[in-house]
Amino acid sequence: MTSDSAAPKGSQISFSMDDFTQALDDYDYKCEKGQVVRGKVIQHSDDGAYVDIGGKSAGFVPINEVDLESRPDLAEILPIDEEKEFIVISEQNADGQVKLSRRQLQLKEAWENVEEIAEMGHSVQMRVTRTNKGGVVGEVEGLQGFIPRSHLMEKEDLNGLVGQLLTATFLEVNQSTNKLVLSQRRAIAAARIDKLEVGQLVSGKVARIQPYGIFVDFEGVSGLLHITQVSGSRVDDLNHVFKYNQEIKVMILSIDEYKNRIALSTKILENHPGEMIENLEEVMKTADARVEQAREKMEKEEQN
């Protein structure tokens, strides 16, 4: 049984222009600020570009929101009839039009990208654009980055770095404060650490003596010889055992590539506890001959 109000089979339903206009009004298409939309570029102007995003009015992309570049080429970046994604940066005006941005969408994607790179501990390339008192400023992944002077390999002629590509790792990534701080020194150290191995005997110099251990510079990196890894016997004062700039041989105990930390040991080279304290010179002189024995000790300690 069919309803009396149902249209007869084969009949046609027609709409007037007023009905069509009313249908558009009833549709009430809305875009919210921060929403990502997809649309087709339909027109260029001196001030920006118009994009069809399916609303009653075309969305508008101001010229300064077209791209990360300061002077974008509209024809190249937003070609007519090409579909792209945009982020809504304003509420609808009285005509139903919203302002759109490609630049802010690119910024959002760039921050997500550098956060992922930083989390993985990978290095990036930064093009130096200018200098300041504290270091150098440049572009990395489309964002502005900063390398402090203390984290540069070249600390004197900063102007000579302008225009150069520097390999660096992230020290701080903070989108809320728009802060991107990098280190060239750490990136180089990380590359050198990749060539080192646990159980490797290396020669270096005592760079710093602290109550808890000494820092040894070798192969372009620095490692920590903790006071508990100096000897099998208790060491009361490291200054009684080592001197600043003294050349010593140490064994790599562990490598933390993510934190760029290297743990060292001389205790592993001893033939008996306390030998490093009693006769450091002899241990250093015969260190190469003690390597295999030391590695066997390390394997036993790992098994236990």
Side-chain angles (χ1 to χ4, degrees), residues 107-241:
L107 282 173
K108 181 175 178 292
E109 292 171 347
W111 278 106
E112 290 173 352
N113 191 27
V114 297
E115 284 172 356
E116 183 178 350
I117 294 172
E119 188 175 334
M120 296 177 70
H122 293 170
S123 60
V124 291
Q125 298 283 305
M126 188 184 96
R127 175 80 65 183
V128 179
T129 55
R130 60 187 176 87
T131 69
N132 59 31
K133 288 192 300 182
V136 296
V137 177
E139 184 180 304
V140 52
E141 298 293 320
L143 302 173
Q144 180 176 285
F146 171 69
I147 302 180
R149 186 187 292 265
S150 60
H151 282 272
L152 289 166
M153 298 302 292
E154 170 58 62
K155 299 180 182 180
E156 302 304 323
D157 182 20
L158 298 189
N159 288 326
L161 297 177
V162 175
Q164 290 192 30
L165 272 176
L166 303 182
T167 300
T169 54
F170 294 106
L171 291 175
E172 183 179 351
V173 177
N174 193 326
Q175 184 177 358
S176 61
T177 59
N178 203 34
K179 199 171 184 181
L180 206 59
V181 185
L182 302 95
S183 172
Q184 182 191 27
R185 289 176 63 85
R186 285 196 181 183
I188 292 174
R192 288 170 175 166
I193 284 176
D194 284 341
K195 299 177 181 179
L196 300 175
E197 297 178 355
V198 172
Q200 182 179 349
L201 185 71
V202 295
S203 298
K205 289 187 177 183
V206 177
R208 197 153 38 107
I209 301 176
Q210 299 289 344
Y212 53 84
I214 67 169
F215 288 90
V216 182
D217 287 351
F218 61 95
E219 305 287 338
V221 297
S222 182
L224 174 64
L225 175 59
H226 196 271
I227 191 169
T228 59
Q229 284 297 328
V230 173
S231 174
S233 294
R234 177 184 172 86
V235 178
D236 294 319
D237 189 345
L238 289 168
N239 288 286
H240 293 163
V241 184

Side-chain angles (χ1 to χ4, degrees), residues 11-293:
S11 66
Q12 294 183 343
I13 301 174
S14 61
F15 288 94
S16 67
M17 184 56 69
D18 290 339
D19 292 331
F20 183 70
T21 304
Q22 184 63 46
L24 282 178
D25 291 337
D26 292 341
Y27 180 59
D28 193 24
Y29 180 87
K30 287 185 178 179
C31 281
E32 295 182 356
K33 190 175 180 180
Q35 179 181 347
V36 176
V37 296
R38 190 168 184 82
K40 181 186 289 187
V41 182
I42 57 175
Q43 183 183 341
H44 292 159
S45 73
D46 293 337
D47 300 326
Y50 291 90
V51 181
D52 180 4
I53 55 174
K56 289 184 291 184
S57 297
F60 180 66
V61 187
I63 193 71
N64 61 341
E65 293 294 340
V66 168
D67 193 75
L68 291 175
E69 293 183 10
S70 58
R71 295 181 180 178
D73 183 339
L74 276 178
E76 181 180 342
I77 298 171
L78 295 179
I80 298 294
D81 290 333
E82 186 164 310
E83 284 195 1
K84 287 184 178 293
E85 285 190 335
F86 303 86
I87 191 168
V88 179
I89 59 173
S90 76
E91 302 295 341
Q92 288 177 301
N93 62 18
D95 297 323
Q97 186 182 76
V98 294
K99 287 184 180 179
L100 306 172
S101 174
R102 275 288 294 169
R103 186 183 72 86
Q104 292 190 33
L105 187 60
Q106 290 171 331
L107 282 173
K108 181 175 178 292
E109 292 171 347
W111 278 106
E112 290 173 352
N113 191 27
V114 297
E115 284 172 356
E116 183 178 350
I117 294 172
E119 188 175 334
M120 296 177 70
H122 293 170
S123 60
V124 291
Q125 298 283 305
M126 188 184 96
R127 175 80 65 183
V128 179
T129 55
R130 60 187 176 87
T131 69
N132 59 31
K133 288 192 300 182
V136 296
V137 177
E139 184 180 304
V140 52
E141 298 293 320
L143 302 173
Q144 180 176 285
F146 171 69
I147 302 180
R149 186 187 292 265
S150 60
H151 282 272
L152 289 166
M153 298 302 292
E154 170 58 62
K155 299 180 182 180
E156 302 304 323
D157 182 20
L158 298 189
N159 288 326
L161 297 177
V162 175
Q164 290 192 30
L165 272 176
L166 303 182
T167 300
T169 54
F170 294 106
L171 291 175
E172 183 179 351
V173 177
N174 193 326
Q175 184 177 358
S176 61
T177 59
N178 203 34
K179 199 171 184 181
L180 206 59
V181 185
L182 302 95
S183 172
Q184 182 191 27
R185 289 176 63 85
R186 285 196 181 183
I188 292 174
R192 288 170 175 166
I193 284 176
D194 284 341
K195 299 177 181 179
L196 300 175
E197 297 178 355
V198 172
Q200 182 179 349
L201 185 71
V202 295
S203 298
K205 289 187 177 183
V206 177
R208 197 153 38 107
I209 301 176
Q210 299 289 344
Y212 53 84
I214 67 169
F215 288 90
V216 182
D217 287 351
F218 61 95
E219 305 287 338
V221 297
S222 182
L224 174 64
L225 175 59
H226 196 271
I227 191 169
T228 59
Q229 284 297 328
V230 173
S231 174
S233 294
R234 177 184 172 86
V235 178
D236 294 319
D237 189 345
L238 289 168
N239 288 286
H240 293 163
V241 184
F242 302 101
K243 295 179 181 179
Y244 173 73
N245 220 30
Q246 176 184 2
E247 290 192 11
I248 62 172
K249 291 184 178 181
V250 291
M251 181 163 278
I252 298 176
L253 204 60
S254 66
I255 300 173
D256 187 333
E257 294 181 3
Y258 181 75
K259 296 182 178 179
N260 286 344
R261 291 178 181 174
I262 304 172
L264 308 171
S265 177
T266 51
K267 178 174 75 173
I268 202 80
L269 297 171
E270 290 183 321
N271 287 329
H272 62 269
E275 189 177 9
M276 273 291 296
I277 302 171
E278 299 163 4
N279 198 346
L280 180 147
E281 187 177 340
E282 177 63 22
V283 176
M284 295 296 102
K285 184 179 179 181
T286 58
D288 292 279
R290 299 175 185 233
V291 170
E292 289 305 318
Q293 177 183 305

